Amino acid sequence: MSNRMVSPSILAADFANLQSEVELLNESSADYIHIDIMDGVFVPNISFGFPVCKAIHQHATKPLDFHLMIQNSDAYLEDCKKSGAEIISVHFEACPHLHRTIGATKELGCKAGVVLNPHTSIEVLNEILPDLDLVLIMSVNPGFGGQKFIPSAIQKVSKLRALASKVNPNLIIEVDGGVNVNSALDLYAAGADMLVAGSFVFKSDNPKDTIQSLKDV
Ligand code: DX5
Ligand code: ZN
């Protein structure tokens, strides 16, 4: 697994031209395509559902990285798999039976991730960390693209990397929310492997160059 991966969030793309936006990502140096699923219950916004995911999957040559911001994730893991998920990440705050959810994700053949909101400390993962493929640290409160980066995420990444080096050295650490070139360098230095970027990529003049710029910091 190479360091400095980028997973552009399709949430910031032009939905009226979804196919060409996906093709743009196919031609870029993106490692994954980040898929934000919101239910209007766990987070105060609704994004899109599985028919849209399937349309993305049909055109994507990059693997899909699902971020579920929903209640009852267990009920939708299979839909994620059918929509092309390689990674499925569920929120710690929304999963009362996390160990079961992680097991079910792995049984589907997907990489299993847990997401932590900005207020949730990494210590809550102590017991489950050895079982995880990935931890996603939120650097905004989930629900909307285009928010401001919360800098305390950087320290959280360092702490998690130190903890993981003892119990799960291959853990992928992903960071999501308000990421741009300024935060990218600090995040990679702190031990992040993969950065999500939505508006920074899609609102830029040249999204492909912007994706590469996140790796070149
Ligand atoms: C926020 C989402 C993020 C968002 C990132 O709830 O989980 O993935 O799309 O977008 P930016 O990079 O614009 O913060
Ligand atoms: Zn996300």
Side-chain angles (χ1 to χ4, degrees):
M1 191 69 62
S2 82
N3 265 338
R4 299 199 164 187
M5 292 185 283
V6 176
S7 184
S9 171
I10 203 77
L11 186 67
D14 176 2
F15 289 166
N17 293 295
L18 202 46
Q19 181 175 347
S20 60
E21 297 285 64
V22 171
E23 284 166 353
L24 181 153
L25 296 180
N26 289 343
E27 292 160 11
S28 76
S29 55
D31 298 274
Y32 284 88
I33 299 177
H34 187 80
I35 310 282
D36 285 308
I37 307 289
M38 304 177 185
D39 66 354
V41 181
F42 176 62
V43 289
N45 196 11
I46 295 175
S47 55
F48 48 79
F50 293 108
V52 173
C53 298
K54 284 185 180 136
I56 294 167
H57 179 43
Q58 214 182 328
H59 296 289
T61 57
K62 305 277 180 180
L64 304 185
D65 160 34
F66 274 63
H67 174 193
L68 302 188
M69 287 161 274
I70 63 175
Q71 302 283 18
N72 199 11
S73 292
D74 295 12
Y76 300 99
L77 298 175
E78 220 169 301
D79 287 308
C80 293
K81 171 71 182 179
K82 284 187 189 145
S83 308
E86 184 175 304
I87 300 171
I88 304 176
S89 297
V90 298
H91 267 264
F92 172 82
E93 301 83 4
C95 292
H97 306 291
L98 194 53
H99 185 271
R100 181 186 293 151
T101 308
I102 295 305
T105 302
K106 287 185 164 178
E107 257 172 51
L108 288 169
C110 295
K111 288 192 173 76
V114 171
V115 194
L116 299 183
N117 272 341
H119 74 275
T120 306
S121 60
I122 58 160
E123 283 75 19
V124 300
L125 297 177
N126 278 349
E127 304 301 327
I128 196 100
L129 200 55
D131 299 323
L132 302 181
D133 296 303
L134 181 149
V135 172
L136 172 48
I137 301 288
M138 288 309 298
S139 43
V140 298
N141 287 292
F144 303 91
Q147 301 183 81
K148 199 168 168 284
F149 181 77
I150 300 171
S152 57
I154 298 167
Q155 218 199 339
K156 224 163 146 182
V157 170
S158 320
K159 272 169 95 179
L160 177 59
R161 181 51 76 202
L163 189 66
S165 67
K166 295 184 204 127
V167 297
N168 186 348
N170 294 323
L171 182 79
I172 300 169
I173 302 181
E174 182 177 15
V175 182
D176 182 9
V179 170
N180 58 30
V181 272
N182 298 324
S183 39
L185 185 57
D186 291 336
L187 290 168
Y188 286 132
D193 303 291
M194 175 142 89
L195 304 181
V196 177
S199 18
F200 185 63
V201 166
F202 284 101
K203 309 293 177 230
S204 70
D205 290 339
N206 188 330
K208 281 189 238 173
D209 286 354
T210 304
I211 291 166
Q212 186 58 43
S213 74
L214 285 166
K215 300 185 160 203
D216 292 340
V217 287

